[in-house]
Amino acid sequence: MKSRKLLVVYIVLLACVLIAMFRLWPYKQEPVPPRDYPEIKSEGILRMVTEYNQSGYYVAGDTIEGFQYELSQAIAALSGLEVQTQLEMSLAESFKQLSDNQCDVIARNIPITSDIKEDYLFTDPIVFNKQILVQRTEEANNGIKPIRNQLDLAQKTLYIPKNSPALLRLQNLAHEIGDTIYVKEDELYSSEQLAIMVAKGDIDYAVCDQQIARVSKENLPEIDIDTDISFTQLQSWAVRKDSPILLDSLNSWLSQIKESGLYDQIYKRYYK
């Protein structure tokens, strides 16, 4: 009798283990079919992915703000679509979500390069931007003057967020000056957070977009943002190659937003 009870217990335990293993066993996610504008319009939902910061999307008190978020809401008003916003700090992960059809648009300021133009379609320029060196002012850096000549970046260590578009520019710059520039890709911190680290003296140099640098400067008087790393670049939103109708629609909506003057209002709110 005792052995039978033990056998029942063992069977129950084995069943529990098997159930747990089944639940934890990795499953293959069903592929999401690609969507162009007709499918998006039929569902009534446009899925965007952006970053959590003032350039993308952020919560201020009890309101949602952000340059990309406000543009997306203007598009929602024009198109009649519901815009669902997903947040992702990594640009590389955002491109993966786009490629996997998890979203329809990457709504962030993406520098257009020849490499990514081969794989994705880009809207008309959203902003004109450039890469800026973030460093401490002379007053906040024990009298050490900020770098003004890019040649002086030789042997310096510059921090950028993981998978930042600035990486390619810094690699090219190292070739241009004929010396090594050490680049640290930070996996945890955004451009704004790296600017704070520069201000506090935790790191000496970071590189970020001019717009982000200007916003950071308002709250961080210790930083200097007057040294350019790149020329002015066109920056746009990205869609998949198989979404040409969506691309045309986005360009049409953005054009209407600019012609109405609403774009200038949104831009000045975040970048002026």
Side-chain angles (χ1 to χ4, degrees), residues 33-47 79 81 104 239-250 253:
R35 296 162 19 116
D36 200 353
Y37 182 62
E39 292 78 19
I40 293 169
K41 184 178 181 182
S42 175
E43 185 184 19
I45 298 174
L46 178 65
R47 295 181 177 87
S79 65
L81 297 171
D104 305 306
V239 301
R240 287 181 299 275
K241 283 277 190 177
D242 54 15
S243 301
I245 305 175
L246 174 60
L247 179 70
D248 289 342
S249 299
L250 286 170
W253 296 325

Side-chain angles (χ1 to χ4, degrees), residues 50-183:
T50 190
E51 54 195 329
Y52 188 85
N53 56 25
Q54 285 188 304
S55 175
Y57 170 115
Y58 70 100
V59 178
D62 58 354
T63 61
I64 299 174
E65 300 181 3
F67 176 69
Q68 314 295 354
Y69 173 75
E70 291 205 28
L71 275 185
S72 72
Q73 293 307 296
I75 285 175
L78 277 175
S79 65
L81 297 171
E82 174 190 348
V83 176
Q84 293 184 353
T85 304
Q86 304 164 207
L87 300 178
E88 175 55 57
M89 293 304 296
S90 168
L91 180 58
E93 183 60 29
S94 296
F95 274 119
K96 183 178 185 303
Q97 291 182 17
L98 184 63
S99 298
D100 292 343
N101 304 311
Q102 301 298 324
C103 65
D104 305 306
V105 186
I106 300 178
R108 55 193 291 173
N109 301 336
I110 306 171
I112 303 175
T113 65
S114 56
D115 290 338
I116 56 177
K117 280 180 69 175
E118 295 180 1
D119 300 317
Y120 302 94
L121 299 175
F122 290 89
T123 63
D124 294 335
I126 301 292
V127 296
F128 295 90
N129 210 342
K130 55 184 172 182
Q131 302 295 328
I132 297 295
L133 180 67
V134 180
Q135 55 191 323
R136 285 184 294 283
T137 62
E138 183 176 353
E139 295 76 17
N141 201 26
N142 299 318
I144 300 174
K145 293 183 178 181
I147 288 176
R148 292 290 177 250
N149 191 327
Q150 294 179 353
L151 292 172
D152 294 330
L153 292 173
Q155 302 299 313
K156 298 293 191 297
T157 299
L158 280 57
Y159 284 77
I160 60 175
K162 183 70 174 178
N163 299 313
S164 167
L167 178 60
L168 179 60
R169 172 56 193 153
L170 291 174
Q171 290 172 339
N172 291 336
L173 182 58
H175 289 297
E176 292 170 13
I177 68 174
D179 209 329
T180 301
I181 298 174
Y182 299 102
V183 181

Side-chain angles (χ1 to χ4, degrees), residues 13-26:
L13 289 174
L14 179 60
C16 292
V17 170
L18 290 174
I19 291 172
M21 289 176 63
F22 177 78
R23 288 179 175 177
L24 294 174
W25 192 265

Side-chain angles (χ1 to χ4, degrees), residues 201-232:
D202 296 333
I203 60 177
D204 290 324
Y205 306 103
V207 175
C208 69
D209 288 351
Q210 184 181 51
Q211 281 93 345
I212 293 175
R214 286 175 174 171
V215 172
S216 297
K217 177 67 174 176
E218 293 179 4
N219 302 314
L220 302 170
E222 302 90 348
I223 63 172
D224 177 279
I225 60 169
D226 293 331
T227 300
D228 296 349
I229 293 297
S230 73
F231 296 109
T232 300

